[in-house]
Amino acid sequence: MSGPTLDGRTACGWHYFGPVLYCQRFAYFANVMHLVPLGTPPARRTGLLIHAGREGLATKGADYTAYVRQMGRHIDSDGRVSRYPADEQKAIQIVARHARREVELARGRRDYVRVLAAENEVGCTFTVEGVRIPYTVRYDRIGRWFSRGHDAGIWAIENKSIYDIRGNPTTQFLLDGQITGQYVAWQQARREARAAGRRPLKAIKGVLLDFISKAPPRGKTSITSYTPLRHPLPPPSEWKIQGWLYSLRYARETMDRLKKIPESRVHTVPQAASQTICVGKYGRCRYFDLCHNGLGWKTEFRREKYVDRATPQSAGQREAV
């Protein structure tokens, strides 16, 4: 692995198809014009740095501190903001705390993951009522989960960083298209490999959400009192899978239509129907001002380099796990 990836995006995965389901104008700005804001909100920046550190941690022989610093350079590459060494150091400390606790749990054979592959990209093709849809997923980790000393099988592991762990944080992911797609795409890739006479990917039990808190648990400050919070999400029902596939088909057809609209006609792209989409728990949408008055996209954003590809996965990646 050459370095950290940016928030797990792939060229034709859920980060490409998903936005059009809640706001077509957001999808146009992000995935047709490829506009990226100059500067990154602090909460998102910290999350990206932690993700990069965990990516390095899961890779054999990798120096995860270098991954964090490389991600910092990537985020700040627009030249509009200064480096934030304090943020990087905080992310390194959080990941180090997490790593030490993982070692303790593995030694005690209580709750740990044996990593089989990290940042593995899998590609497949869905066909929904005649519409062919290439789809890719980058999995944070594929690993064998040992829960309370018992082998719970192989899972697709999704790293999540949250500010505070309260109650059951998995509720928001039960209908998450990205999470559902991770399981469905893995199963489709297995079917395609068998049909082509190749060795299929190993079967997975489902998606395991592996949370790491950006702050110590309430009332606890010691590293020994910190326990990783892992929540398994079982395979989605057939009803849920069919609904996801039809949503994917709608997203594909809508994106194909949006790509035909010239930038001079961006004002004709439908906007979000509710202000709750424009202003969320992390503040205003990054395109709020641009959507409001149509100004500033040349001075407040940069165009991200985009590679349009269908199925970038190689046979070697298929055989990684």
Side-chain angles (χ1 to χ4, degrees), residues 10-21 124-129 131-137 177-178 180-182 184-185 188 192 240-256:
T10 59
C12 52
W14 194 252
H15 287 86
Y16 175 78
F17 291 113
V20 77
L21 297 177
C124 63
T125 301
F126 297 106
T127 302
V128 185
E129 292 190 345
V131 179
R132 184 177 178 274
I133 311 169
Y135 194 81
T136 53
V137 177
Q178 178 191 9
T180 302
Q182 289 186 0
V184 179
Q188 179 67 12
E192 291 179 2
K240 186 176 179 181
I241 291 175
Q242 289 301 314
W244 183 87
L245 288 172
Y246 276 89
S247 296
L248 186 65
R249 176 194 172 187
Y250 170 81
R252 169 62 188 267
E253 293 175 334
T254 305
M255 284 304 303
D256 288 346

Side-chain angles (χ1 to χ4, degrees), residues 35 65 124-125 142 153 172 200 216 251 259 261 279 311:
L35 297 180
T65 60
C124 63
T125 301
I142 302 296
Q172 62 181 308
K259 286 191 289 187
I261 300 176
V279 182
T311 51

Side-chain angles (χ1 to χ4, degrees), residues 171-215:
T171 303
Q172 62 181 308
F173 297 104
L174 290 176
L175 294 176
D176 189 287
Q178 178 191 9
I179 301 300
T180 302
Q182 289 186 0
Y183 180 82
V184 179
W186 188 272
Q187 298 301 100
Q188 179 67 12
R190 281 170 50 82
R191 288 190 289 267
E192 291 179 2
R194 285 195 294 265
R198 298 190 302 266
R199 187 178 70 176
L201 301 167
K202 294 181 179 180
I204 60 174
K205 297 287 187 179
V207 178
L208 182 66
L209 300 177
D210 194 351
F211 295 99
I212 184 171
S213 177
K214 298 177 185 176

Side-chain angles (χ1 to χ4, degrees), residues 17-127:
F17 291 113
V20 77
L21 297 177
Y22 60 83
C23 180
Q24 293 187 32
R25 192 169 292 183
F26 182 101
Y28 188 90
F29 288 143
N31 296 323
V32 178
M33 295 181 70
H34 310 296
L35 297 180
V36 180
L38 296 176
T40 305
R44 174 174 168 77
R45 189 178 198 282
T46 302
L48 289 173
L49 292 172
I50 292 174
H51 185 92
R54 298 186 74 182
E55 179 183 332
L57 187 65
T59 307
K60 292 182 179 180
D63 180 1
Y64 67 86
T65 60
Y67 273 59
V68 173
R69 295 192 174 99
Q70 184 175 342
M71 178 60 80
R73 289 193 295 272
H74 178 87
I75 296 172
D76 300 338
S77 62
D78 53 62
R80 281 285 300 271
V81 294
S82 60
R83 295 289 304 282
Y84 293 94
D87 284 357
E88 293 179 4
Q89 191 59 35
K90 176 183 177 182
I92 289 172
Q93 290 174 352
I94 291 174
V95 176
R97 181 187 68 189
H98 177 79
R100 291 196 298 270
R101 188 56 177 158
E102 288 280 17
V103 171
E104 293 176 7
L105 292 171
R107 286 174 178 171
R109 301 190 67 81
R110 283 176 283 172
D111 185 335
Y112 66 99
V113 172
R114 183 180 298 162
V115 178
L116 303 177
E119 291 296 321
N120 203 58
E121 188 168 310
V122 172
C124 63
T125 301
F126 297 106
T127 302

